[in-house]
Amino acid sequence: MDQDIVQRVKNDPNYQKLVKTRSRYGWMLTWAVMVVYYGFTLLNAFDKEFMGSRIGAGVMSWGVPLGLFVILFTVVVTGIYVRRANKEFDALTDAIQRNAAAGQPAQTNQPNKVRAA
C-alpha cells in the first residue's frame, strides 16, 4: 500500500472519528455483555439456591429464563452494533475512501482486461 495513501487516511478527521467512536462503542457493548454473562456465571457459582428455586408452582427454575436472557441479550447487543455499523460506521468508511481516492495521482490509461466467456 502506498505510504502517501496511508498518511492521508490516518490524517483524515473521518478516520480519527471512526476509530475513536467505534472503539469506545465496541468496548461499551463488550462490558455490557461481560457484566451480564459473568453475572449469570457468578449467580450459578455462588447462589445455587436462587438459581435452582422454582418459579411459582411450576417446575422451571430461575436458571432457565436467566440463561435465555443471556443468550437473547447477546443477540440484541450484536444487532445494535450491526445497525450502528451499517449506518454510521459504513458512512464514515465511505467518506474516508472517497477522500483517500481524491488525493491519488491519476491512473495511467491501461486497457481493462476483459475475460472471455
Side-chain angles (χ1 to χ4, degrees), residues 1-74:
M1 182 177 284
D2 187 23
Q3 289 300 321
D4 186 41
I5 294 173
V6 172
Q7 286 306 316
R8 276 198 304 267
V9 169
K10 284 184 177 181
N11 293 331
D12 190 336
N14 289 322
Y15 175 75
Q16 294 166 3
K17 179 181 179 184
L18 174 65
V19 170
K20 182 179 177 182
T21 305
R22 189 176 59 185
S23 179
R24 187 177 338 126
Y25 194 62
W27 279 111
M28 182 181 69
L29 294 179
T30 299
W31 280 107
V33 169
M34 288 177 66
V35 165
V36 169
Y37 179 79
Y38 286 111
F40 177 75
T41 303
L42 290 171
L43 272 175
N44 277 326
F46 297 110
D47 200 355
K48 292 178 180 69
E49 295 78 26
F50 169 73
M51 295 298 275
S53 64
R54 293 182 180 179
I55 299 174
V59 295
M60 186 182 302
S61 68
W62 279 103
V64 175
L66 289 176
L68 182 60
F69 169 75
V70 170
I71 294 168
L72 292 176
F73 181 77
T74 304

